[in-house]
Amino acid sequence: MKVIVTGGAGFIGSHTVVELINNGYTPIIVDDFRNSKPFIINQIFKITGQKPKHYAIDCCNYKDFETVFKIEKPEGIIHFAAYKAVGESVNKPLKYYENNINSLVNVLKLMNEFDVNNLVFSSSCTVYGSAKVIPVTEKTPTQKAESPYGNTKQIGEDILHDYFKTSKNKNISILRYFNPIGAHPSGLIGELPIGTPNNLIPFITQTADGIRKSLTIFGNDYPTRDGSCIRDYIHVVDLAIAHIKAFEKQKNQTSELETYNVGTGKGTSVIEVVECFEKETKIKLNYSFGEKREGDVAEIYADNSKIISELEWEPKYSLQDALKDAWNWQKNLKNVK
Ligand SMILES: NC(=O)c1ccc[n+]([C@@H]2O[C@H](COP(=O)([O-])OP(=O)(O)OC[C@H]3O[C@@H](n4cnc5c(N)ncnc54)[C@H](O)[C@@H]3O)[C@@H](O)[C@H]2O)c1
């Protein structure tokens, strides 16, 4: 099965391309490297022995994107390409609406034009906001988004539901990712630190590596067991495999739209992550507590029973594995850049 992977050079995209190749799919990467680097394609080759075809085009440019569909005639699409920095989206909302919404609309128009029936869409647990009952299931009501970024994921999901009602033979899997972390166990691909990291783990690994003087933990008086936020950290390879499982289910369907939480089902506090990293690497981290960040919910983790039973997926990697792999990647970055 030939699959277009928008954003396939990015953090989650590159790991998914590896798993697609490992599972006999032919991924075609569409990524203009606005938040990734061309050397990632070579790294994928080093892991898999196959160099995926790649188009450096903007998914918001319909004509360019259409050309890829014309040439490649794909059977499926995974749509990762989007901006993802919550804080930046508050200051630059139009940048987020323009890219995240237009690219999705183009994907759907092209699916119609070229009769492509299978789509996996990257959504996020941000759609749940501050949920009253935890763990959240796919039926937990979504809350008004706290940021333009979160809103693009909610609008994206709404667009998919509206599109599905008017389209024939489309299979759509909406995957709501919890907190993807870690890196490929080979140490050859991982999260690229472009600018100041927005996520905890690159901040931790850069602090451990001496790139940053210290780590700030935002808030120490949340109503949680140790006062820091609780999240559901999922190894990026486990997350990548969920996309393959979604396609496997779609192959047996003619028309369905399903939403799945992709998380471990376990909540871990920020302080527990720091302590786990220190234990795993024997490196003492220099950290302090800062103000709470606007829009951060105290606690969220997934009820993952739906994806486990319907897609026969389950997380294989532990938090320790993820932190070890992220640290390994951080150390290797000097060699691969
Ligand atoms: N990383 C997370 O914590 C997280 C959590 C939940 C959801 N998501 C979603 O998962 C998806 C992938 O996230 P990621 O962490 O891999 O991000 P990433 O920034 O590493 O990857 C996104 C890739 O898309 C490319 N891209 C963006 N806009 C493009 C466009 N218009 N045309 C062509 N290429 C474009 C970028 O160059 C980048 O390589 C995003 O939709 C993100 O919102 C991520």
Side-chain angles (χ1 to χ4, degrees):
M1 181 170 164
K2 199 186 254 194
V3 178
I4 285 189
V5 186
T6 74
F11 174 43
I12 306 165
S14 57
H15 291 80
T16 304
V17 167
V18 167
E19 294 309 321
L20 284 165
I21 294 172
N22 287 345
N23 285 278
Y25 291 77
T26 306
I28 309 290
I29 297 176
V30 175
D31 193 315
D32 61 6
F33 302 119
R34 68 183 67 193
N35 200 37
S36 50
K37 295 268 159 61
F39 78 81
I40 291 294
I41 311 279
N42 259 332
Q43 299 296 97
I44 293 172
F45 172 70
K46 285 186 205 158
I47 298 171
T48 62
Q50 282 182 45
K51 193 161 185 173
K53 209 163 166 187
H54 165 256
Y55 292 85
I57 62 125
D58 178 356
C59 301
C60 295
N61 182 322
Y62 192 82
K63 282 279 154 230
D64 286 354
F65 206 3
E66 188 183 38
T67 309
V68 179
F69 277 72
K70 256 185 210 144
I71 298 171
E72 299 296 342
K73 302 184 179 54
E75 289 157 271
I77 305 179
I78 307 180
H79 185 46
F80 292 109
Y83 293 130
K84 62 170 180 179
V86 174
E88 186 192 51
S89 79
V90 175
N91 298 321
K92 297 180 180 166
L94 296 185
K95 175 175 170 180
Y96 279 69
Y97 288 117
E98 186 170 44
N99 191 33
N100 297 9
I101 304 300
N102 286 352
S103 62
L104 174 62
V105 170
N106 281 351
V107 163
L108 300 179
K109 282 164 71 178
L110 289 164
M111 283 175 68
N112 281 346
E113 192 178 327
F114 291 90
D115 264 331
V116 183
N117 292 335
N118 302 302
L119 170 70
V120 183
F121 174 68
S122 303
S123 189
S124 162
C125 68
T126 55
V127 299
Y128 295 116
S130 192
K132 290 191 182 64
V133 181
I134 290 170
V136 288
T137 74
E138 292 79 358
K139 292 205 173 90
T140 299
T142 58
Q143 307 266 341
K144 188 177 169 0
E146 306 242 7
S147 69
Y149 165 71
N151 209 19
T152 65
K153 292 299 173 192
Q154 288 196 349
I155 295 170
E157 290 198 7
D158 289 344
I159 290 173
L160 289 171
H161 281 274
D162 290 341
Y163 170 80
F164 181 71
K165 281 184 221 147
T166 59
S167 317
K168 282 207 178 72
N169 305 329
K170 301 294 180 210
N171 295 309
I172 300 174
S173 306
I174 296 174
L175 301 188
R176 290 179 178 160
Y177 310 157
F178 280 67
N179 288 64
I181 61 166
H184 197 267
S186 64
L188 292 169
I189 53 172
E191 195 164 0
L192 273 184
I194 297 176
T196 310
N198 294 292
N199 297 333
L200 176 63
I201 308 305
F203 231 106
I204 289 180
T205 55
Q206 289 191 3
T207 306
D209 208 12
I211 297 169
R212 301 194 179 270
K213 281 208 181 75
S214 87
L215 166 76
T216 307
I217 298 178
F218 300 110
N220 62 353
D221 59 353
Y222 282 100
T224 58
R225 51 184 174 264
D226 60 19
S228 66
C229 289
I230 290 183
R231 296 287 179 270
D232 185 336
Y233 296 96
I234 167 120
H235 195 294
V236 64
V237 173
D238 279 329
L239 175 58
I241 291 168
H243 297 77
I244 314 295
K245 297 283 187 181
F247 274 141
E248 278 168 19
K249 168 121 186 289
Q250 289 186 4
K251 279 182 198 158
N252 301 318
Q253 308 294 328
T254 46
S255 173
E256 73 161 21
L257 186 158
E258 287 290 349
T259 302
Y260 298 98
N261 284 342
V262 197
T264 63
K266 280 189 222 108
T268 308
S269 79
V270 174
I271 292 174
E272 287 163 351
V273 172
V274 168
E275 286 172 351
C276 181
F277 181 86
E278 291 184 329
K279 198 167 161 220
E280 198 56 41
T281 60
K282 317 263 180 302
I283 296 171
K284 200 86 200 107
L285 282 173
N286 187 12
Y287 69 89
S288 60
F289 293 98
E291 292 292 303
K292 287 177 179 167
R293 285 189 307 190
E294 215 179 302
D296 269 347
V297 301
E299 180 173 17
I300 187 155
Y301 56 94
D303 178 322
N304 57 8
S305 42
K306 182 176 175 190
I307 187 166
I308 289 175
S309 67
E310 290 188 16
L311 298 191
E312 293 172 14
W313 170 92
E314 61 178 339
K316 298 220 163 37
Y317 292 92
S318 65
L319 180 66
Q320 282 86 340
D321 295 330
L323 295 175
K324 195 180 71 203
D325 291 337
W327 177 230
N328 194 21
W329 164 243
Q330 176 69 44
K331 288 184 290 181
N332 281 355
L333 258 174
K334 297 176 190 81
N335 309 325
V336 294
K337 264 199 276 192

Short mmCIF file of all heavy atoms in Angstrom, two decimals, residues 192-232:
data_model
loop_
_atom_site.label_atom_id
_atom_site.label_comp_id
_atom_site.label_asym_id
_atom_site.label_seq_id
_atom_site.Cartn_x
_atom_site.Cartn_y
_atom_site.Cartn_z
N LEU A 192 13.77 16.92 16.85
CA LEU A 192 14.83 17.90 16.51
C LEU A 192 14.63 19.18 17.30
O LEU A 192 13.57 19.80 17.24
CB LEU A 192 14.78 18.23 15.02
CG LEU A 192 15.55 17.34 14.06
CD1 LEU A 192 15.46 17.90 12.66
CD2 LEU A 192 17.00 17.16 14.48
N PRO A 193 15.66 19.59 18.02
CA PRO A 193 15.52 20.81 18.81
C PRO A 193 15.74 22.06 17.97
O PRO A 193 16.86 22.55 17.87
CB PRO A 193 16.61 20.65 19.87
CG PRO A 193 17.64 19.78 19.21
CD PRO A 193 16.98 19.00 18.14
N ILE A 194 14.69 22.55 17.31
CA ILE A 194 14.82 23.78 16.54
C ILE A 194 14.32 24.91 17.44
O ILE A 194 13.14 24.95 17.78
CB ILE A 194 14.05 23.70 15.20
CG1 ILE A 194 14.66 22.58 14.33
CG2 ILE A 194 14.08 25.03 14.47
CD1 ILE A 194 13.96 22.31 13.02
N GLY A 195 15.23 25.79 17.88
CA GLY A 195 14.86 26.85 18.83
C GLY A 195 14.69 26.28 20.23
O GLY A 195 15.14 25.18 20.53
N THR A 196 14.01 27.05 21.08
CA THR A 196 13.80 26.60 22.46
C THR A 196 12.72 25.52 22.47
O THR A 196 11.64 25.73 21.93
CB THR A 196 13.32 27.79 23.34
OG1 THR A 196 14.20 28.88 23.10
CG2 THR A 196 13.32 27.43 24.80
N PRO A 197 13.02 24.38 23.06
CA PRO A 197 12.01 23.30 23.05
C PRO A 197 10.74 23.70 23.80
O PRO A 197 10.81 24.43 24.79
CB PRO A 197 12.70 22.15 23.77
CG PRO A 197 14.13 22.51 23.89
CD PRO A 197 14.24 23.99 23.77
N ASN A 198 9.61 23.23 23.31
CA ASN A 198 8.34 23.48 23.97
C ASN A 198 7.95 22.33 24.88
O ASN A 198 7.04 22.44 25.68
CB ASN A 198 7.23 23.64 22.93
CG ASN A 198 7.44 24.87 22.11
OD1 ASN A 198 7.32 25.98 22.62
ND2 ASN A 198 7.78 24.69 20.84
N ASN A 199 8.64 21.21 24.70
CA ASN A 199 8.25 20.01 25.44
C ASN A 199 9.28 19.66 26.50
O ASN A 199 10.46 20.03 26.40
CB ASN A 199 8.09 18.82 24.48
CG ASN A 199 6.97 19.07 23.50
OD1 ASN A 199 6.03 19.81 23.79
ND2 ASN A 199 7.07 18.48 22.32
N LEU A 200 8.82 18.93 27.50
CA LEU A 200 9.65 18.61 28.67
C LEU A 200 10.92 17.83 28.32
O LEU A 200 12.01 18.17 28.77
CB LEU A 200 8.79 17.81 29.67
CG LEU A 200 9.49 17.31 30.92
CD1 LEU A 200 9.99 18.47 31.78
CD2 LEU A 200 8.54 16.42 31.73
N ILE A 201 10.78 16.77 27.54
CA ILE A 201 11.92 15.85 27.39
C ILE A 201 13.12 16.49 26.69
O ILE A 201 14.25 16.38 27.17
CB ILE A 201 11.50 14.51 26.71
CG1 ILE A 201 10.29 13.91 27.44
CG2 ILE A 201 12.67 13.53 26.64
CD1 ILE A 201 10.43 13.68 28.94
N PRO A 202 12.91 17.20 25.55
CA PRO A 202 14.09 17.87 24.95
C PRO A 202 14.71 18.88 25.90
O PRO A 202 15.93 19.05 25.92
CB PRO A 202 13.51 18.57 23.71
CG PRO A 202 12.21 17.93 23.44
CD PRO A 202 11.71 17.35 24.71
N PHE A 203 13.89 19.50 26.74
CA PHE A 203 14.43 20.44 27.72
C PHE A 203 15.32 19.69 28.72
O PHE A 203 16.41 20.13 29.08
CB PHE A 203 13.29 21.15 28.47
CG PHE A 203 13.46 22.63 28.46
CD1 PHE A 203 12.67 23.43 27.66
CD2 PHE A 203 14.44 23.22 29.23
CE1 PHE A 203 12.85 24.79 27.61
CE2 PHE A 203 14.64 24.58 29.21
CZ PHE A 203 13.84 25.37 28.40
N ILE A 204 14.84 18.53 29.16
CA ILE A 204 15.62 17.72 30.10
C ILE A 204 16.93 17.28 29.46
O ILE A 204 18.02 17.44 30.03
CB ILE A 204 14.81 16.47 30.55
CG1 ILE A 204 13.66 16.89 31.47
CG2 ILE A 204 15.71 15.44 31.23
CD1 ILE A 204 12.81 15.73 31.96
N THR A 205 16.86 16.75 28.23
CA THR A 205 18.08 16.19 27.63
C THR A 205 19.07 17.33 27.30
O THR A 205 20.28 17.15 27.42
CB THR A 205 17.77 15.35 26.36
OG1 THR A 205 17.02 16.15 25.43
CG2 THR A 205 16.99 14.12 26.70
N GLN A 206 18.55 18.50 26.91
CA GLN A 206 19.46 19.62 26.63
C GLN A 206 20.10 20.14 27.92
O GLN A 206 21.24 20.58 27.92
CB GLN A 206 18.71 20.75 25.92
CG GLN A 206 18.34 20.39 24.49
CD GLN A 206 17.84 21.58 23.68
OE1 GLN A 206 17.79 22.70 24.17
NE2 GLN A 206 17.46 21.33 22.44
N THR A 207 19.36 20.08 29.02
CA THR A 207 19.94 20.50 30.30
C THR A 207 21.02 19.50 30.72
O THR A 207 22.12 19.88 31.13
CB THR A 207 18.83 20.59 31.38
OG1 THR A 207 17.80 21.44 30.89
CG2 THR A 207 19.37 21.17 32.69
N ALA A 208 20.71 18.22 30.56
CA ALA A 208 21.69 17.19 30.92
C ALA A 208 22.95 17.32 30.06
O ALA A 208 24.06 17.04 30.50
CB ALA A 208 21.06 15.81 30.74
N ASP A 209 22.77 17.77 28.83
CA ASP A 209 23.88 17.89 27.88
C ASP A 209 24.66 19.20 28.05
O ASP A 209 25.64 19.43 27.34
CB ASP A 209 23.29 17.83 26.45
CG ASP A 209 24.28 17.26 25.46
OD1 ASP A 209 25.31 16.71 25.89
OD2 ASP A 209 24.04 17.38 24.25
N GLY A 210 24.18 20.06 28.95
CA GLY A 210 24.88 21.33 29.19
C GLY A 210 24.50 22.44 28.22
O GLY A 210 25.05 23.54 28.26
N ILE A 211 23.55 22.16 27.31
CA ILE A 211 23.12 23.20 26.35
C ILE A 211 22.31 24.25 27.09
O ILE A 211 22.34 25.43 26.76
CB ILE A 211 22.30 22.56 25.20
CG1 ILE A 211 23.18 21.58 24.42
CG2 ILE A 211 21.71 23.62 24.27
CD1 ILE A 211 22.43 20.69 23.45
N ARG A 212 21.54 23.81 28.09
CA ARG A 212 20.78 24.75 28.93
C ARG A 212 21.27 24.64 30.37
O ARG A 212 21.63 23.56 30.81
CB ARG A 212 19.29 24.44 28.87
CG ARG A 212 18.81 24.53 27.47
CD ARG A 212 17.38 24.57 27.20
NE ARG A 212 17.29 24.69 25.76
CZ ARG A 212 17.26 25.83 25.09
NH1 ARG A 212 17.25 26.97 25.74
NH2 ARG A 212 17.23 25.84 23.77
N LYS A 213 21.25 25.80 31.04
CA LYS A 213 21.81 25.81 32.42
C LYS A 213 20.93 25.03 33.38
O LYS A 213 21.40 24.30 34.23
CB LYS A 213 21.94 27.26 32.90
CG LYS A 213 23.15 27.97 32.34
CD LYS A 213 23.61 29.07 33.31
CE LYS A 213 24.81 29.81 32.75
NZ LYS A 213 24.42 30.74 31.65
N SER A 214 19.59 25.26 33.23
CA SER A 214 18.71 24.54 34.15
C SER A 214 17.32 24.36 33.56
O SER A 214 16.95 25.03 32.59
CB SER A 214 18.64 25.28 35.49
OG SER A 214 17.64 26.25 35.44
N LEU A 215 16.62 23.46 34.18
CA LEU A 215 15.27 23.12 33.73
C LEU A 215 14.27 23.82 34.65
O LEU A 215 14.45 23.81 35.86
CB LEU A 215 15.12 21.60 33.85
CG LEU A 215 13.72 21.01 33.76
CD1 LEU A 215 13.27 21.00 32.30
CD2 LEU A 215 13.73 19.58 34.30
N THR A 216 13.25 24.44 34.05
CA THR A 216 12.20 25.03 34.88
C THR A 216 10.98 24.13 34.84
O THR A 216 10.50 23.76 33.77
CB THR A 216 11.80 26.43 34.33
OG1 THR A 216 12.99 27.20 34.19
CG2 THR A 216 10.83 27.13 35.25
N ILE A 217 10.50 23.77 36.00
CA ILE A 217 9.25 23.00 36.10
C ILE A 217 8.14 24.00 36.39
O ILE A 217 8.20 24.74 37.39
CB ILE A 217 9.33 21.93 37.21
CG1 ILE A 217 10.46 20.93 36.85
CG2 ILE A 217 8.00 21.22 37.40
CD1 ILE A 217 10.67 19.85 37.89
N PHE A 218 7.17 24.05 35.49
CA PHE A 218 6.14 25.09 35.59
C PHE A 218 5.06 24.70 36.60
O PHE A 218 4.17 23.92 36.29
CB PHE A 218 5.53 25.37 34.21
CG PHE A 218 6.54 25.84 33.21
CD1 PHE A 218 6.92 25.03 32.15
CD2 PHE A 218 7.14 27.08 33.34
CE1 PHE A 218 7.87 25.45 31.23
CE2 PHE A 218 8.10 27.51 32.42
CZ PHE A 218 8.46 26.69 31.37
N GLY A 219 5.15 25.24 37.79
CA GLY A 219 4.12 25.03 38.82
C GLY A 219 4.47 23.89 39.75
O GLY A 219 4.89 22.81 39.30
N ASN A 220 4.33 24.15 41.08
CA ASN A 220 4.54 23.06 42.05
C ASN A 220 3.40 22.98 43.06
O ASN A 220 3.55 22.36 44.10
CB ASN A 220 5.89 23.21 42.76
CG ASN A 220 5.98 24.49 43.56
OD1 ASN A 220 5.08 25.34 43.47
ND2 ASN A 220 7.04 24.67 44.33
N ASP A 221 2.27 23.66 42.72
CA ASP A 221 1.14 23.55 43.65
C ASP A 221 -0.16 23.12 42.94
O ASP A 221 -1.25 23.52 43.32
CB ASP A 221 0.94 24.87 44.41
CG ASP A 221 0.68 26.04 43.49
OD1 ASP A 221 0.78 25.86 42.24
OD2 ASP A 221 0.37 27.14 43.99
N TYR A 222 0.01 22.32 41.90
CA TYR A 222 -1.18 21.71 41.27
C TYR A 222 -1.77 20.68 42.24
O TYR A 222 -1.03 20.12 43.08
CB TYR A 222 -0.79 21.00 39.96
CG TYR A 222 -0.58 21.94 38.79
CD1 TYR A 222 0.71 22.31 38.40
CD2 TYR A 222 -1.66 22.44 38.08
CE1 TYR A 222 0.91 23.16 37.32
CE2 TYR A 222 -1.47 23.29 37.00
CZ TYR A 222 -0.19 23.65 36.62
OH TYR A 222 -0.01 24.49 35.57
N PRO A 223 -3.08 20.44 42.16
CA PRO A 223 -3.69 19.44 43.05
C PRO A 223 -3.37 18.01 42.61
O PRO A 223 -4.25 17.22 42.27
CB PRO A 223 -5.18 19.75 42.94
CG PRO A 223 -5.34 20.38 41.60
CD PRO A 223 -4.06 21.08 41.28
N THR A 224 -2.08 17.70 42.57
CA THR A 224 -1.62 16.35 42.17
C THR A 224 -0.76 15.78 43.30
O THR A 224 -0.48 16.49 44.26
CB THR A 224 -0.77 16.43 40.88
OG1 THR A 224 0.34 17.31 41.14
CG2 THR A 224 -1.56 16.97 39.70
N ARG A 225 -0.29 14.54 43.14
CA ARG A 225 0.41 13.90 44.28
C ARG A 225 1.69 14.63 44.70
O ARG A 225 2.09 14.57 45.85
CB ARG A 225 0.67 12.42 44.03
CG ARG A 225 1.34 12.08 42.72
CD ARG A 225 1.46 10.57 42.52
NE ARG A 225 1.98 10.26 41.20
CZ ARG A 225 1.22 9.96 40.15
NH1 ARG A 225 -0.09 9.91 40.27
NH2 ARG A 225 1.77 9.70 38.98
N ASP A 226 2.37 15.30 43.75
CA ASP A 226 3.59 16.02 44.16
C ASP A 226 3.56 17.49 43.75
O ASP A 226 4.57 18.18 43.82
CB ASP A 226 4.85 15.32 43.63
CG ASP A 226 4.86 15.23 42.11
OD1 ASP A 226 4.13 15.99 41.45
OD2 ASP A 226 5.60 14.39 41.56
N GLY A 227 2.41 17.97 43.28
CA GLY A 227 2.26 19.39 42.95
C GLY A 227 2.64 19.73 41.51
O GLY A 227 2.38 20.84 41.04
N SER A 228 3.28 18.78 40.78
CA SER A 228 3.59 19.07 39.37
C SER A 228 2.54 18.41 38.47
O SER A 228 1.79 17.54 38.91
CB SER A 228 5.02 18.61 39.02
OG SER A 228 5.13 17.20 39.09
N CYS A 229 2.51 18.84 37.21
CA CYS A 229 1.47 18.34 36.28
C CYS A 229 1.65 16.84 36.00
O CYS A 229 2.79 16.35 35.97
CB CYS A 229 1.57 19.06 34.95
SG CYS A 229 1.05 20.76 35.01
N ILE A 230 0.55 16.20 35.73
CA ILE A 230 0.59 14.77 35.39
C ILE A 230 0.17 14.56 33.94
O ILE A 230 -0.85 15.10 33.49
CB ILE A 230 -0.31 13.97 36.35
CG1 ILE A 230 0.34 13.98 37.75
CG2 ILE A 230 -0.55 12.55 35.85
CD1 ILE A 230 -0.39 13.18 38.80
N ARG A 231 0.99 13.83 33.21
CA ARG A 231 0.74 13.57 31.80
C ARG A 231 0.92 12.08 31.49
O ARG A 231 1.49 11.33 32.27
CB ARG A 231 1.73 14.36 30.91
CG ARG A 231 1.61 15.87 31.02
CD ARG A 231 0.35 16.37 30.32
NE ARG A 231 0.21 17.81 30.43
CZ ARG A 231 -0.43 18.45 31.42
NH1 ARG A 231 -0.98 17.76 32.41
NH2 ARG A 231 -0.53 19.76 31.42
N ASP A 232 0.49 11.73 30.29
CA ASP A 232 0.59 10.34 29.82
C ASP A 232 1.67 10.31 28.73
O ASP A 232 1.43 10.74 27.60
CB ASP A 232 -0.79 9.93 29.27
CG ASP A 232 -0.86 8.47 28.86
OD1 ASP A 232 0.20 7.89 28.56
OD2 ASP A 232 -1.98 7.94 28.83
#
